[in-house]
Each structure stands twice: as structure tokens, then as C-alpha cells.
Amino acid sequence: MTKQSPPDTLRLVVDLNRCQNYGQCVYAAPTVFRFHGEESLEYDYAPGEAARREVERAAAACPVQAIALGAANEPSPLSAGSDR
Amino acid sequence: MRADRTVVVGASLAGLRAAEALRDEGFTGELTLIGDEPHEPYDRPPLSKAVLSGWLPADHTTLPRLRDIDAHWLLGTAATGLDVPGRQVVLADGRRIRYDRLLIATGTRARPWPEQAGGGLRGVHVLRGREDAERLRAALLAGPHRVLVIGAGFTGGEVASSCRDLGLAVTVTQRGAAPLASALGGVVGRAAADWYRDAGVDLRLNTTVRTLEGDSHGRLRRAVLSDGSTVEAEVAVVATGAVANTGWLAGSGLAVDDHGVTCDATCRVLTPDGAVVPEVFAAGDIARWPHPRYPGQLLRLDHWDNAVRQARTAAHNMAHGGHRVHQPLPAFWSNQFGVNCKSVGLPAIADQVVITQGTLAQRRFVAAYGRDGRLVAAVAVNSPRVLGGYAALIEAGAPFPPVLNAPDGPPQPTAVDAEFPRRSTAATAAATAATAATAATATAQRRPVMTAHP
Ligand SMILES: Cc1cc2nc3c(=O)[nH]c(=O)nc-3n(C[C@H](O)[C@H](O)[C@H](O)COP(=O)(O)OP(=O)(O)OC[C@H]3O[C@@H](n4cnc5c(N)ncnc54)[C@H](O)[C@@H]3O)c2cc1C
Ligand code: SF4
């Protein structure tokens, strides 16, 4: 748990304008993505590091590249020392 | 002087994406992000959906940071003033932050319910931020006998839908003749009314709330409606639109009012007499600008897609002194009552609509919107895969009604009146009373067109 790698850095966002509800992400990472109703994709933006492999697989499987993962290495703006 | 200090005020979707885009564009100077919320930037769309219904905790909405931005973050810090000649942002604690370039991205807030009509009662909610969602979620968990939702726009529908998911009794009042009518017109709006009713919502159309009444402890008890009837409810959610967060810009000499900050098509902010302030930019829900595709009006698009795109355009022009024009094809989505609704183009400018695929009754359809014989928008309900084709037709200036020959199209597509509330009058009063004073001073051509999410 160093400052450079905060414990819980897995973050994702889905561009729901681009998403075409193919559902590959739901198969790849069922604890992170779900359909609510027939066509409404819902997902956890911060599912925890344990889900990383699943989420990476989901992002790679999305046919329209609608899933973006966090890619910053610097500490979160709320961790100590970033607000100077 | 070298333009090496950039300040972004408003640390949410537009602010964060603009900061990232500035670095992508090669900006190497000092970057400061100022945001009044004590949170890392988070996403609002789930607040009225997965968060309210309980599937997603409110603190699981934090947006990913897409790259390092090497910024000074001033979170939990409100900007209270702007000194344009001195190029300084004034903070609530009196500090002054100098800039060479400034991006205004302070978004909008939910229009509050008037104090004198019961706005101060406990149990009266709005939904814009994470704390709003947490408070409302707690109130719903307490098991109210009925929830009143005031306004059947996108946010109102999403909130009502989430309440029904929780098994709560819901009444929704809507000023107009159908839900979503000012954004999507009466034809699609009437279909939406069926979504509400089939979900068990008590939908009161052509009805407003006259006043909210409380008990002796200041807790909401009931609402008195415009038809004189009353609704007993312990929770009310006010979803009647948004007001731009321009308070901190009062006296700045920029063109600001409750509608937003006026800029040119390259995201540069203007003064009231139309002069460009070359070092001040705006993006996201707060920005109004002349979109070249929609001449004669100022557009404000309170939607996720616009916040992201306008942030990029503004960042590009800030970093390079460029003149890239912000002219996206508008796009948004909404999920409510188990229905996925996606839109491209600007339905609100249409005069006619035609169902080109599926049927309204099946809840799987595409509505194409036309104006003066051209396709201007398409709304896809539970048909998320088809919109790309319509977007291309709109951009190409295709004729209306469009010739598609879709296999699931009706045998004889008939274009009908799109039934937007009369635009010249009360209809843009979707932008309502609060803004009447400023609207009165605006000329007819400068009528603001807005497709707010709320
Ligand atoms: C409940 C809800 C559901 C939504 N659902 C959808 C949807 O399904 N689809 C869709 O397309 N869009 C949706 N939207 C719209 C979308 O969330 C917005 O378009 C987007 O948030 C705009 O981003 P922004 O950064 O411009 O503004 P905002 O997200 O409003 O951010 C502005 C930030 O500036 C801060 N700020 C304000 N004043 C100051 C000040 N003086 N000093 C410092 N900071 C300040 C604010 O607190 C806020 O953090 C929804 C919005 C809401 C509220
Ligand atoms: S895989 Fe991509 S397109 Fe399919 S539902 Fe998930 S995000 Fe949407």
C-alpha cells in the first residue's frame, strides 16, 4: 500500500451512447455489469481490484469499445499530499 | 507572457475530461482544478437509476482518471468570484488563483422548489449530486406510503421508475400533456405515458403542484395540485429542470445568466455585447453556444456526451489557440421503466415525426424526426443498435421522411405532427418562469434551445 499504488484503483466507465447492449461485458464480468430490464446496462464504476481481470476481459470483448478503464498512475486527488 | 497557467473551475465530467485532454494536447504548464464537492469527479447518470434502486452504492460512481494530469486539485473549494481583467479566480476562503487560461465547467443544479410553496419541508428532495442521491435513497428506504415526483422529464421518469422498482407507490405530476413532451414531442411522449402507467405510476398530466404542505414538525404531508386535488406523500422529488451554476460569475462582465454562460462556437466565452474574451472558455452543462447546424439560436445540451466532447474541443482550442468549432451531433440516452431510450440529433426542432421501425405499442421502435423536409433527429427505444445509421443520414442532410425499407418498418410510414408544445410561447417555458426576466430581454432569434436531462 504505497502512495503510488493506492489499494483500490480499478475504475471504469461505459459510454452508454456508444454501447449497443450486446452484453459481452455481462458475460465476461457478471459481478460488475448487469442488464436491468431488457436493454438497460448498469455497472459498478469501482468494483475493486479483485475484478480487474474480468473487467479487462470485458473491455476487450466489447465490440464497440465503449468501456474505458482508469489509466492514471498518480495518486487520487483526495489522497494525502496531492493538494498543495 | 507565456500562457502557462490553466485553471479549470468545476471538477466533474467536463472539468476532468478537459484537464486530461489538455495534457493529451501537449499542454505542459501548471494545471489547477477547483471543485466545490468534496469528492473525486464522479458520474451522475447512475444516481437516478442504479444508485436509487439500491444496486450501486453512491460512492461507487467515481469516474476513472484516463491519464496522469499532474494537477493541483482544490476539492471541497468553491470559487466565489472571477476577476477577468486581473485574470484571477477568487475562492471562498479568500485565496486568489491566477490564470492565463480559464475553463468554466461549473455545470447546473436542480431548480429548487420555492420556499414559500413548501420547499423548506423535510421530505422535499432534488437530485443532482451524490449527497442528494444518498439522502433520497435513505428517505425511500424508510418506506414512505407514497412518493410524489414533480416533473416527468428524463430525471423525473428515472426517479419514478426506481421508486417502482422498490415497490413504492408513486404519483408523478407533469405540466404538459405527456411525459418528455418538450424533449421528444407528444407522439413519443404518449408512448412514454404508457410506460409510466404500466409500471403502476399514478401519472397526472396537465397538472402542476400548487403547494406542498407539512405537519407541525415541518415534515412533508401532502401536495395540493392545480386541479384542487391533494396527494398524501412523505417524500417529494422536484425534477423541474436545471439552473446554471453561474452565481460565482456575477459581476464578472461575462455573458451569464440562469441559462448558462454564452460562448462562441469555439467555446470562448463572450461579454454581454458579444465580444470574445480570448482566455476564458466554457464546456459542459453550463455552456450555451451557436451550433452551426442550428442557426439563429443558442444551444445548451445538458447531456453526458456533450460534456465530454465540448471539454475536448475547449481543451484543444485552449492548448493551441485553435479555432476548432464545437458542432457535435447531439446524443443522449435514458433508462426508465425497463426501457432504453437513445437519441441522436435534436428532436425538439422537428415539426414532424414518423415511426420508421417497430411500433410504439411493442416498446421497440425508432422515431425519425423531420423539419422542412430534412431528417433532424432519431429516437430509438429498446433498439440501441440502429442509431448509427440514422446519425449518418442526419449528418448527410437526408430527406424526411427517410427512405429506409427497414424489414421491421411499417407498411406505409406516415409522418405526423411531432406535437412539441407550442414553441414560441409557454413551451420554452420548459426553461420556465425563473428565467422569464432574462428571456424577455432576449430577442426572438436568440431563444435558447435546451434539451436538459432533468
Ligand atoms: C440524476 C442525473 C441523471 C443523468 N442521467 C443522464 C443520462 O442518463 N444520460 C445523459 O446523457 N446525461 C445524463 N445526465 C446529465 C449529465 O450527468 C451531465 O450532462 C453532466 O454531469 C455534465 O457535466 P458537467 O461537468 O458539465 O457538469 P456537472 O456534472 O454539473 O459538474 C459541475 C461541477 O462544478 C461544481 N461547481 C459548481 N459551482 C462551483 C463553484 N462555484 N466552484 C467550484 N465548483 C463548482 C459542481 O458542484 C459540480 O461538481 C444526468 C444528470 C443527472 C443529475
Ligand atoms: S459489451 Fe460493450 S456494447 Fe455490449 S453491453 Fe457491454 S458495454 Fe455495451
Side-chain angles (χ1 to χ4, degrees), chain B residues 439-454:
Chain B
T441 62
T443 65
Q445 310 97 299
R446 289 256 135 179
R447 170 180 67 81
V449 168
M450 298 181 217
T451 71
H453 195 78

Side-chain angles (χ1 to χ4, degrees), chain A residues 17, chain B residues 9-15 34-37 42-49 77-80 105-109 127-129 155 158 245 248 283-286 301-305 307 331-335 453-454:
Chain A
N17 294 295
Chain B
V9 184
S12 180
L13 183 61
I34 300 166
D36 62 358
E37 295 187 90
Y42 61 90
D43 215 17
R44 296 176 203 280
L47 298 180
S48 49
K49 310 175 186 85
T77 308
T80 53
T106 46
T108 61
R109 63 185 181 280
L127 181 54
R128 180 75 198 175
T155 302
E158 290 169 2
N245 289 323
W248 68 284
D285 280 9
I286 200 168
L301 297 173
D302 295 24
H303 298 299
W304 197 93
D305 184 69
F332 69 86
W333 82 93
S334 172
N335 293 329
H453 195 78

Side-chain angles (χ1 to χ4, degrees), chain B residues 11-354:
Chain B
S12 180
L13 183 61
L16 174 64
R17 294 298 179 244
E20 292 166 348
L22 278 163
R23 294 302 191 202
D24 282 343
E25 297 277 354
F27 172 69
T28 54
E30 219 176 274
L31 180 58
T32 303
L33 265 86
I34 300 166
D36 62 358
E37 295 187 90
H39 306 295
E40 277 188 66
Y42 61 90
D43 215 17
R44 296 176 203 280
L47 298 180
S48 49
K49 310 175 186 85
V51 170
L52 265 202
S53 67
W55 186 72
L56 188 66
D59 60 358
H60 277 237
T61 55
T62 304
L63 285 164
R65 291 174 287 127
L66 300 178
R67 55 160 296 145
D68 286 347
I69 55 170
D70 185 20
H72 300 293
W73 290 81
L74 300 174
L75 294 179
T77 308
T80 53
L82 178 65
D83 173 358
V84 173
R87 298 193 175 178
Q88 293 181 342
V89 175
V90 184
L91 303 184
D93 59 15
R95 269 184 295 173
R96 289 174 162 261
I97 310 291
R98 301 184 63 87
Y99 64 83
D100 299 301
R101 297 247 192 286
L102 172 70
L103 179 70
I104 296 171
T106 46
T108 61
R109 63 185 181 280
R111 173 174 293 123
W113 191 251
E115 201 72 28
Q116 68 278 13
L121 294 169
R122 255 178 298 144
V124 179
H125 296 256
V126 294
L127 181 54
R128 180 75 198 175
R130 191 188 265 191
E131 279 75 16
D132 296 333
E134 278 168 343
R135 264 194 303 270
L136 179 55
R137 167 90 187 138
L140 299 181
L141 281 182
H145 292 103
R146 180 167 292 275
V147 178
L148 171 68
V149 178
I150 305 175
F154 291 107
T155 302
E158 290 169 2
V159 168
S161 170
S162 298
C163 290
R164 290 303 300 140
D165 285 345
L166 296 170
L168 298 169
V170 182
T171 296
V172 178
T173 60
Q174 165 76 334
R175 179 191 297 269
L180 302 175
S182 56
L184 304 182
V187 174
V188 174
R190 272 195 301 281
D194 288 339
W195 312 340
Y196 279 70
R197 294 200 167 110
D198 291 351
V201 172
D202 166 30
L203 177 63
R204 312 281 186 96
L205 298 172
N206 300 305
T207 304
T208 55
V209 173
R210 205 179 281 160
T211 189
L212 299 173
E213 295 179 350
D215 62 15
S216 54
H217 304 287
R219 276 189 300 252
L220 175 68
R221 283 283 306 276
R222 56 183 206 149
V224 182
L225 308 187
S226 51
D227 59 7
S229 66
T230 60
V231 174
E232 308 277 327
E234 301 100 305
V235 174
V237 184
V238 181
T240 53
V243 189
N245 289 323
T246 48
W248 68 284
L249 297 168
S252 65
L254 302 178
V256 301
D257 60 25
D258 278 353
H259 295 310
V261 174
T262 303
C263 27
D264 69 9
T266 65
C267 311
R268 288 173 167 75
V269 172
L270 305 180
T271 64
D273 53 16
V276 169
V277 183
E279 72 280 9
V280 181
F281 296 73
D285 280 9
I286 200 168
R288 304 169 67 198
W289 81 104
H291 189 308
R293 183 183 284 279
Y294 309 109
Q297 60 206 353
L298 292 174
L299 202 61
R300 187 176 103 196
L301 297 173
D302 295 24
H303 298 299
W304 197 93
D305 184 69
N306 184 64
V308 172
R309 285 170 191 262
Q310 202 166 18
R312 281 197 211 121
T313 308
H316 174 86
N317 292 342
M318 290 172 84
H320 303 298
H323 291 88
R324 190 174 283 174
V325 169
H326 181 56
Q327 47 186 343
L329 192 64
F332 69 86
W333 82 93
S334 172
N335 293 329
Q336 45 183 291
F337 304 112
V339 169
N340 171 254
C341 175
K342 289 171 83 174
S343 169
V344 293
L346 205 55
I349 62 165
D351 44 36
Q352 289 206 300
V353 65
V354 61

Side-chain angles (χ1 to χ4, degrees), chain A:
Chain A
M1 261 200 5
T2 69
K3 208 171 98 183
Q4 286 311 309
S5 52
D8 227 17
T9 51
L10 178 62
R11 300 262 190 276
L12 63 135
V13 65
V14 180
D15 181 341
L16 290 175
N17 294 295
R18 186 185 294 187
C19 166
Q20 307 205 329
N21 298 27
Y22 284 107
Q24 277 88 334
C25 54
V26 180
Y27 294 112
T31 60
V32 177
F33 301 87
R34 71 159 189 178
F35 279 115
H36 177 214
E38 258 178 271
E39 301 273 10
S40 302
L41 185 71
E42 297 185 337
Y43 61 97
D44 189 344
Y45 291 68
E49 275 304 315
R52 183 174 289 277
R53 286 207 34 207
E54 276 181 38
V55 169
E56 283 174 353
R57 233 180 287 136
C62 175
V64 291
Q65 281 103 47
I67 305 170
L69 303 194
N73 295 310
E74 59 196 12
S76 127
L78 288 177
S79 61
S82 61
D83 174 11
R84 274 158 294 142

